[in-house]
Amino acid sequence: MKIAVLDDDPVQLEFISDVVEDAGYRATLFSRGQALISALRKDTFDMIIVDWNLPDRSGLEILTWARTNLKPAPPMLLVTSRAEDEDVVAGLDAGADDYLPKPLSKPVLAARINALIRRAYAQPVTPGIETYDDIAFHEAAGSVARSGETIALTAKEYALALLLFRNLHRALSRTYILETVWGNEPNLNSRSLDMHVSRVRNKLELRPEQGFRLTPIYSYGYRLERVAGAEAAVDA
Amino acid sequence: MIEWAVVAASSALLVAWLALSPVADGADHLAYDALMRAQAGPADDAIVIIAIDDRSLEALGQWPWPRDLHARLIDRLTQASAGPVAYDVLFTEPSAQDDGLAGALSRNGKVSLPVVVDAPGLNGAAFREDAPAPVLAEAAAGTGHVNLTVDNDGAVRRLPLYLQSGDRTWPHLILPLAATRRAVPVPPAPRTDDTLYAGSSEAVVYRGPPGAFRTLSFIDVLNGETPAGFLKDRLTLVGATAPGLGDRYATPATPHGELRPGVEVQAALLQTLLDGGGPRSLSPGWVLALSLLPLSLLIAGFLVLRPAANMALGAGLIALTLFASAFAFLAGDLWFPPSAAVAGLVLAYPLWSWRRLAAASAYMQSEVEAFERDGVGLTGPARGGDVVARQVDALRAAVRQVRDLERFISDALRSLPDATVVADPHARIILSNDRAEALFGGRLQTDADLPLLFQSLGEPAWRRFLDPDGDPGEITTPDGRILKAAASVLTDAEGEPVGHIVRFADMTRFRAAERQRTEALQLLSHDMRAPQVSILTLLDGPAPGLDPATERRIADYARQTLDLAEGYVQLARAESQPYRSELLDLGQVAMDAADILWPQASKKGVRILTPDSEDEYLVQGDPALLRRLTTNLLDNALKYGPKDGAIRVSLSGAEENGRPVCVLSVIDQGPGLSEDAARRLFQAFGHGGADHRGAGLGLAFVRTVAERHGGTIRHQAGSPGATFILTLPRVMDAEDSPVS
């Protein structure tokens, strides 16, 4: 797996490079946007990690360029010190598959890179039982058990929960969730989605204490994350 | 307009009545007589009157004379070869001397004798004819009537050339004399009834006062004292002139009321005929039409002219009518009686003036009352004078007040802080203030209109600024200024559009400040953060040469700097940016905040207890800001609370001022806050405790966001710790039903 990393700050560039190599991938480093675009024209990368603020081109421009010109586009991760909610949405709308605010944390960055690679290049899920830590999805029965205890979910709640877990560490837009779980059902609104997410969160106890965190993304959607013990220590 | 029509119709009717009825004849006769006097000229030499005057009566004895005298006179005329003779002496009764007279008449052969036809006759007859005795009539050259037509003022102005009744026709006595020089009018067609008609009426032209014709005394001619040849071929009339004989009449052209002998009237008629006829009268139809013409001009003038001009027009028309009448009479031998037309002109003007004054007075009265109703106090002193003068005073006072008001409004417009123009419904500029003149300069001069002004600002479609619901945005002028224009339609009391008012607010400096602020936020949110982020990233890796304690302190300072920048940016945005509005469950928001702070809380061993009630506490608000608000409250509790403690978040419903609210309380176990600290708590850059780890912006943010959501935040000191209580308006009726 070959990953292109673009950041004008050498410290950041080296940090990301370390995380990528530690995760077992090969990192190609760029400090100018134009250089990355030139490379993308000739070479193929399995993933792109870009910084937003660059001296020559905006990271958003590069995202848009890649979405338009690369078919299929590799998964793209936006890292930025712009942490405002509006900025996050702008980045996702420009074509990023996910974003991370700086300062970056090693385990979080590694988890995101792995999640994006896995989803893009994963083999189809084998039918039967899917397990995420102590949570098991029984596909045939359409039921969920946590630590062996079966939790009653409606069909929509089951589908929503499975979608969130299959996309661990990935930002999911409301539109994507609505289309995947409800199809093109009319008279469905954001508020209904929020209530379903709220019920899944309460029933499955998706709280950091229990190892999972469900984060709403400002006006965009949701992301489910696995909370590693290490993250708590570093991020504090 | 109705008033006008009534005045026009009534004055036209009056004129028609005057023109067609004899009412105005007196005035017409005055004009006619004056014109007749103006026509005075020499009497015709060919006409000679042989007058039976006082001298003849003295010499020849009392009237009537024996007919022998007349026979002798006729013989004298015969000897003198006089022309045809009209002998205006009645010989109605037979007399013993008739044979002698008949002889003289026969010898002469050119003498006409008079007939008097009186209507009506005796015993029901249509007329009575006093003809000469048959033997005389036989001997005379002919007979002719000498009937006079007397106008209602007693004057003789016209004489009939023929009298008619049935198939009888009497020519006038002098017609044979006139026929010697000119063709005389032929008699009209015979009548079918017995009524006596006066046909071919001729206006008599009198040449000056009585006595103008050559006159010889009867006695002188009888005695042969006339110069030889004097009478030769002259047209001779014989008649009475002596006042005692009574045959005298009032006529035009007798300036001092003298009477004119009948024979002179006949002579004047003769000369009129010899001269080709008197002035002809217009037919009644023409008289009516010509009388109405000046009136209609004046009435039309009422509609378009001002009162003074109307007055002049009326006077001019009167003069013109009189002049036209005189000109037609003197130059064209046409008689147009002017008094009906003049009377119409004279009466229409005051009639119209009266109506206009009445209307103006009523109008002033109603306007004054309207002003009083509208609250314009009429404080002007009511001076003396008639009703109209007092009304004028009242109206003047009202107008002065309105003018003061207008000046006040105009001054107010001039003093408006923004450039403002007022346009009429066709978008032409009618008012503008100093700032508008400064903005547009010379372009506000003549013929300026709104499309032109907007075009000069680089804005082609000005009408979109009229849409009250639209947001036309700002105009960036070619010279770089930023203007915010707002236009509205002015309407009158009935809601009809009467113009436009447009305001141009200069946003240039405001926008510049805003841009600077955005740039400052940009600097803080990225440019200042980036180095701190790099410091933290560096410290995350192996840092040779630094002991772990120093490394941790550097990281703490970098993180503080980041927090400070973040807090500042958040506060600035919370204060100035527009908010989103979504329906949110405050319980979920509290849970999100707790999850965000979980790493810090678990590190400090603190448990955050969120409500696990199934109840929803819905609020309308900006999700990101409310989440950060709650996070800030929890963060505050986490910072000041003890290790291994607990932070409790509770949610409940309540009512405040009759409206449902959500109450979110955050209860910590910290040292609590002093009164002084509590007061400064929610101010930016102040903070509540001795621990200086925070910059104190977090709670200022909380207060700003809570207030902008219509809620409150307050602090309550607990026995241990502190409680922060947030209230937000609660949405009770969520219309969205859950999806099953």
Side-chain angles (χ1 to χ4, degrees), chain B residues 107-122:
Chain B
R107 280 191 293 280
N108 185 288
K110 290 188 282 187
V111 178
S112 301
L113 291 182
V115 175
V116 170
V117 186
D118 285 332
L122 298 170

Side-chain angles (χ1 to χ4, degrees), chain B residues 240-384:
Chain B
T241 64
L245 296 180
D247 185 22
R248 298 167 79 90
Y249 303 92
T251 58
T254 48
H256 307 298
E258 308 151 77
L259 298 179
R260 198 185 288 271
V263 68
E264 280 203 32
V265 175
Q266 316 292 9
L269 175 63
L270 173 59
Q271 183 172 355
T272 303
L273 290 177
L274 292 176
D275 290 349
R280 280 162 291 128
S281 285
L282 289 169
S283 73
W286 275 105
V287 170
L288 180 62
L290 289 174
S291 298
L292 287 173
L293 177 67
L295 177 72
S296 42
L297 287 175
L298 182 68
I299 295 280
F302 287 157
L303 282 187
V304 294
L305 296 177
R306 300 173 68 84
N310 262 325
M311 183 87 189
L313 176 67
L317 282 171
I318 290 173
L320 196 66
T321 304
L322 291 175
F323 175 78
S325 176
F327 183 79
F329 188 92
L330 297 175
D333 268 350
L334 265 178
W335 168 236
F336 164 66
S339 54
V342 169
L345 293 173
V346 165
L347 285 173
Y349 186 76
L351 186 62
W352 176 248
S353 302
W354 165 59
R355 287 318 308 156
R356 292 331 290 157
L357 182 62
S361 173
Y363 169 76
M364 281 193 284
Q365 190 60 42
S366 74
E367 281 301 287
V368 166
E369 282 164 8
F371 274 128
E372 279 166 353
R373 270 200 309 279
D374 291 350
V376 177
L378 301 179
T379 51
R383 290 203 300 272

Side-chain angles (χ1 to χ4, degrees), chain A residues 111-187:
Chain A
R112 296 290 175 88
I113 292 172
N114 280 326
L116 288 175
I117 293 276
R118 188 169 59 242
R119 193 173 57 250
Y121 305 104
Q123 302 305 312
V125 179
T126 46
I129 300 174
E130 280 179 50
T131 309
Y132 301 91
D133 297 350
D134 57 346
I135 297 178
F137 287 84
H138 298 268
E139 196 159 344
S143 71
V144 179
R146 180 144 205 187
S147 307
E149 230 173 284
T150 302
I151 297 164
L153 291 183
T154 67
K156 294 297 181 198
E157 286 165 2
Y158 174 87
L160 177 61
L162 189 57
L163 182 70
L164 289 170
F165 273 97
R166 281 183 178 169
N167 290 284
L168 265 179
H169 299 290
R170 187 196 176 201
L172 294 178
S173 76
R174 292 176 171 277
T175 318
Y176 179 77
I177 297 172
L178 287 172
E179 279 174 7
T180 310
V181 178
W182 279 273
N184 284 326
E185 199 171 313
N187 59 51

Side-chain angles (χ1 to χ4, degrees), chain B residues 78-417:
Chain B
T78 309
Q79 290 161 17
S81 302
V85 179
Y87 209 97
D88 188 14
V89 176
L90 288 172
F91 302 112
T92 47
E93 305 83 14
S95 150
Q97 299 172 347
D98 279 353
D99 289 340
L101 181 53
L105 288 170
S106 304
R107 280 191 293 280
N108 185 288
K110 290 188 282 187
V111 178
S112 301
L113 291 182
V115 175
V116 170
V117 186
D118 285 332
L122 298 170
N123 303 323
F127 59 89
R128 185 175 67 101
E129 180 184 20
D130 287 328
V135 59
L136 297 181
E138 190 79 12
T143 58
H145 81 83
V146 289
N147 279 27
L148 295 177
T149 310
V150 179
D151 287 335
N152 48 17
D153 62 346
V156 178
R157 293 187 180 82
R158 312 178 64 79
L159 292 176
L161 296 184
Y162 295 95
L163 291 179
Q164 287 184 300
S165 176
D167 55 356
R168 295 282 313 270
T169 296
W170 295 270
H172 196 275
L173 182 67
I174 52 90
L175 278 183
L177 279 68
T180 57
R181 206 188 290 172
R182 271 183 188 273
V184 296
V186 296
R191 301 283 172 164
T192 53
D193 60 298
D194 286 346
T195 316
L196 187 67
Y197 290 98
S200 298
S201 203
E202 190 71 30
V204 183
V205 178
Y206 296 99
R207 306 284 176 183
F213 290 103
R214 291 168 176 245
T215 305
L216 302 173
S217 261
F218 190 96
I219 183 71
D220 291 346
V221 178
L222 194 67
N223 293 342
E225 289 167 10
T226 318
F230 181 78
L231 285 171
K232 187 173 171 28
D233 292 332
R234 299 230 187 245
L235 306 174
T236 310
L237 293 96
V238 182
T241 64
L245 296 180
D247 185 22
R248 298 167 79 90
Y249 303 92
T251 58
T254 48
H256 307 298
E258 308 151 77
L259 298 179
R260 198 185 288 271
V263 68
E264 280 203 32
V265 175
Q266 316 292 9
L269 175 63
L270 173 59
Q271 183 172 355
T272 303
L273 290 177
L274 292 176
D275 290 349
R280 280 162 291 128
S281 285
L282 289 169
S283 73
W286 275 105
V287 170
L288 180 62
L290 289 174
S291 298
L292 287 173
L293 177 67
L295 177 72
S296 42
L297 287 175
L298 182 68
I299 295 280
F302 287 157
L303 282 187
V304 294
L305 296 177
R306 300 173 68 84
N310 262 325
M311 183 87 189
L313 176 67
L317 282 171
I318 290 173
L320 196 66
T321 304
L322 291 175
F323 175 78
S325 176
F327 183 79
F329 188 92
L330 297 175
D333 268 350
L334 265 178
W335 168 236
F336 164 66
S339 54
V342 169
L345 293 173
V346 165
L347 285 173
Y349 186 76
L351 186 62
W352 176 248
S353 302
W354 165 59
R355 287 318 308 156
R356 292 331 290 157
L357 182 62
S361 173
Y363 169 76
M364 281 193 284
Q365 190 60 42
S366 74
E367 281 301 287
V368 166
E369 282 164 8
F371 274 128
E372 279 166 353
R373 270 200 309 279
D374 291 350
V376 177
L378 301 179
T379 51
R383 290 203 300 272
D386 63 1
V387 173
V388 173
R390 285 198 299 276
Q391 285 174 343
V392 167
D393 280 345
L395 196 60
R396 180 182 296 132
V399 166
R400 188 170 52 239
Q401 293 219 356
V402 168
R403 199 176 292 134
D404 288 348
L405 193 62
E406 192 193 351
R407 188 175 307 122
F408 173 77
I409 291 170
S410 163
D411 289 347
L413 174 72
R414 297 206 85 78
S415 315
L416 281 181

